Amino acid sequence: MSEKKKVLIICGTAVGQMYLGVLLNRIWYVPVLVKTADEGVRVAQTDSFAVIILDGDISDAELNAALVLLRGDLSVKAAPLAVFITGESSVKPESLIARGCSAVLTKPLDLAFVYTILARLSGQQRTTPRVPARMRVEIEEGTPDKSLTCINISEGGVYLRTHEPLPEGTALHLKFTLPRDVESIDLEADVVRTAPLGIQIETEPGMGLRFRDIPEETRKRIKNFVQWELIGDLEWEAAI
C-alpha cells in the first residue's frame, strides 16, 4: 500500500479540525492541523505538504488575508490549495480560482468528489475511496470456488480473497449484496490486479476487479455505502 501523503489543514474551529482531520485520515492522508494561515506557513517552513486545505467559512477580511499569504509565501506557494466553503457562502468559487486556488469544494461534502479532487491535486493514483466490506461474491465462471470473500469495495471495483487469482484481463460476472442491503447487485468486471499467496506479506492473496459498464443507479448505491462507512458517524455544521 502506498505511503500516506501529508495534508496541511487550516481551520479555526475545534469541531472543523476534528471533522477534517478524521476524514482525511480515513481516506489515506496524514492531516496536520493548524488554526490560521500564519501558523500554516510556520509549519510549512520545516515540512512539506501534498495539498493545503483551507476552511473558507471565515470573515471576508480573514479569507483575503489568508489567500494573500498562502499564495504569496514561498513556503506554501507551490502546494495546491483547496478551499472548503458552504453552499450559501457569498464567496464565488470563480473568484477563488482566479486568486490562485486549485479547487473549491462546498459543504456538506460529497466524499467521492473530495477524494477525486484531492487525488488529482496530490498525485494519488486511486481516484475513488474504498472501504473494508466482508461479504460473499458469487462468480459464475472461471474460479474453483463459485463464491469468494470481498475484502474491500469502491464504486470502481472490488478486491476478492483467493489463493488462486485469475489472470489479469479475465472477465467475470459477479453477484453480491451490500451489507445492510436487501437487493442483490449483478455486474460484469475485469481482473486488473493479482496478489498470489506469499508474494506480498502485507496484502491478502487475491485479485482486484474493476467494474465494467456499471449502471448509474448501482454506482450510486455503492457510492452511498462507501460514504456511509467512511463518514456516517461524523457530523459537521459550519460555524455561524
Side-chain angles (χ1 to χ4, degrees), residues 127-138:
T127 58
T128 54
R130 58 180 173 177
V131 293
R134 296 281 173 167
M135 59 187 178
R136 297 299 289 176
V137 177
E138 298 178 21

Side-chain angles (χ1 to χ4, degrees), residues 20 23 41 44 46 51 65 71 88 119-120 135 138 145 152 174:
L20 292 174
L23 171 62
V41 169
T46 58
V51 180
R71 294 299 78 184
E88 298 79 23
R120 174 175 61 82
M135 59 187 178
E138 298 178 21
D145 299 320
N152 58 61
L174 312 179

Side-chain angles (χ1 to χ4, degrees), residues 49-85:
F49 298 94
V51 180
I52 298 172
I53 293 176
L54 171 65
D55 182 2
D57 286 328
I58 50 182
S59 70
D60 289 346
E62 290 176 308
L63 180 58
N64 289 334
L67 291 177
V68 169
L69 184 58
L70 294 174
R71 294 299 78 184
D73 191 281
L74 294 178
S75 302
V76 291
K77 185 176 182 179
L81 173 62
V83 181
F84 290 178
I85 58 174

Side-chain angles (χ1 to χ4, degrees), residues 33-50:
L33 305 171
V34 298
K35 289 186 176 181
T36 67
D38 287 325
E39 289 182 62
V41 169
R42 288 197 295 271
V43 170
Q45 288 173 350
T46 58
D47 207 344
S48 59
F49 298 94

